[in-house]
């Protein structure tokens, strides 16, 4: 933000999870909108579609906390008629607000 450029992405889409022991692998494909406001040489604003694809690995400490070993995302936008293809890498502590409950169906025997 100190360079005079402000970029924000808002995206949503499916996320796929695979749990194995204390490890949680995830992958996702998100679609949304990117907005940019540049203050250099006068204010200029643009918006564009954004596509984000990526994944990562969490190590579960408890049911609520995990350590994100890595997350890598490919971010594609087209702001100010210029294509941007960027990689985003992150790591850190994860707090989960809730969990996805699995439901099991039982089949009733036919009479």
């Amino acid at each position: 933000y100190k360079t005079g450029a402000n970029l924000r992405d808002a995206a949503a889409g499916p996320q796929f999870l695979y749990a194995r022991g204390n490890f949680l692998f995830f992958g996702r494909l998100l679609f949304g909108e990117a907005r940019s406001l540049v203050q250099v040489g006068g204010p200029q604003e643009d918006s564009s579609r954004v596509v984000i694809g990526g994944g990562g690995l969490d190590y579960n400490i408890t049911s609520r906390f995990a350590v994100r070993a890595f997350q890598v995302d490919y971010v594609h936008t087209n702001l100010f008629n210029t294509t941007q293809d960027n990689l985003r890498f992150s790591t850190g502590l994860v707090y989960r607000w809730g969990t996805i409950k699995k439901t099991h169906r039982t089949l009733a025997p036919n009479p």
Side-chain angles (χ1 to χ4, degrees), residues 38-87:
V38 178
Q39 295 291 342
V40 178
Q44 299 175 1
E45 189 173 351
D46 193 17
S47 64
S48 160
R49 282 186 241 157
V50 63
V51 177
I52 302 171
L57 172 69
D58 292 347
Y59 179 76
N60 297 322
I61 300 170
T62 67
S63 62
R64 296 272 184 207
F65 287 96
V67 173
R68 177 142 302 161
F70 70 90
Q71 175 183 330
V72 178
D73 292 318
Y74 163 77
V75 182
H76 173 81
T77 60
N78 189 18
L79 294 164
F80 300 107
N81 295 321
T82 304
T83 301
Q84 293 94 27
D85 295 306
N86 297 304
L87 283 179

Side-chain angles (χ1 to χ4, degrees), residues 7 16 35 37 39 54 57 65 67 86 93 95 98-99:
L7 176 63
F16 304 97
R35 290 185 178 219
L37 176 62
Q39 295 291 342
L57 172 69
F65 287 96
V67 173
N86 297 304
L93 185 64
Y95 177 76
T99 59

